[in-house]
Amino acid sequence: ADAGRRLAGALRAKAAKPTDPELIPVEMAAPVLVFGMGARGRAVADALMEFGIGYLGVEADEKRLREALADGYAVMFGRMDDPRLWQPMAIEGRRLNVLSDPDFETAAEIMPAIREQYPELRLLAAALDAVDAKHFAEIGIEAVDDSLGDGTPLAKEVLMELGIEPAAIEDWIARRRQSVTEDVREAA
């Protein structure tokens, strides 16, 4: 299964890269930085790939990092709370920085330093409920209610921010949910 996953990921990655990514400026190649490549982060990445929008995933968990790489996602090892990585990740040059699996305490600790260094930085976080969303708003992070945990509300908000037509977004969500439903039926 691992070999199949790696092969599929390699084929997917190769098909998704029509040009040499080293020759494209970071800001143009990946306008979205996605922190966390769990279910929500992958949903955002899938949505962006569906519409031909570049992204870079950042994952701190080694197992999820290996799985995301094997599945063909553009992802690197790192943590949002490591200021040494902010410049190499070019967080200030991204249109959106998405926190797909945010830890409120860590975000609250690091936000003053982020706001001092990058006052115009756009951060969007997945919120588990209205209380969670309120806490993120209090520290200056826009939040999207993603209590279902499937990432589609977060992906929808990201796509809306990037100017994708609402009808096209709803069509993608419907196809994604149908695909997930079919996968569950097959597994049963």
Side-chain angles (χ1 to χ4, degrees):
D2 274 346
R5 173 181 260 174
R6 280 193 289 278
L7 178 61
L11 292 172
R12 179 176 170 189
K14 186 177 254 185
K17 296 179 184 173
T19 59
D20 186 352
E22 292 180 7
L23 301 177
I24 302 171
V26 170
E27 296 81 17
M28 294 179 68
V32 180
L33 193 60
V34 180
F35 288 95
M37 290 303 289
R40 289 184 187 100
R42 285 174 174 239
V44 171
D46 290 342
L48 293 167
M49 287 188 291
E50 173 72 18
F51 291 97
I53 300 168
Y55 74 94
L56 175 61
V58 180
E59 180 56 62
D61 180 87
E62 289 182 36
K63 182 177 186 259
R64 287 193 342 188
L65 174 71
R66 281 193 309 271
E67 290 174 352
L69 285 169
D71 289 342
Y73 289 97
V75 61
M76 64 176 272
F77 181 78
R79 296 175 50 98
M80 183 190 107
D81 62 346
D82 187 349
R84 297 171 300 173
L85 296 178
W86 295 347
Q87 189 170 7
M89 287 188 292
I91 65 172
E92 77 281 358
R94 312 288 177 162
R95 288 188 57 191
L96 280 173
N97 293 273
V98 179
L99 310 176
S100 68
D101 296 317
D103 172 11
F104 176 75
E105 288 77 26
T106 302
E109 287 176 16
I110 202 71
M111 279 310 293
I114 288 176
R115 287 291 174 224
E116 182 179 317
Q117 193 164 352
Y118 307 110
E120 302 299 317
L121 187 70
R122 295 278 321 274
L123 286 167
L124 186 64
L128 302 178
D129 54 35
V131 173
D132 203 25
K134 182 179 178 232
H135 289 308
F136 281 112
E138 289 170 353
I139 63 170
I141 298 176
E142 299 171 56
V144 174
D145 180 3
D146 196 359
S147 52
L148 295 176
D150 71 352
T152 53
L154 186 60
K156 179 180 179 177
E157 185 65 28
V158 168
L159 293 173
M160 294 288 287
E161 288 285 331
L162 296 172
I164 303 299
E165 292 293 321
I169 297 169
E170 293 302 326
D171 180 55
W172 174 80
I173 290 172
R175 284 185 284 118
R176 179 176 177 85
R177 287 188 173 149
Q178 181 179 354
S179 173
V180 168
T181 302
E182 289 171 0
D183 290 347
V184 169
R185 282 189 203 140
E186 288 178 13

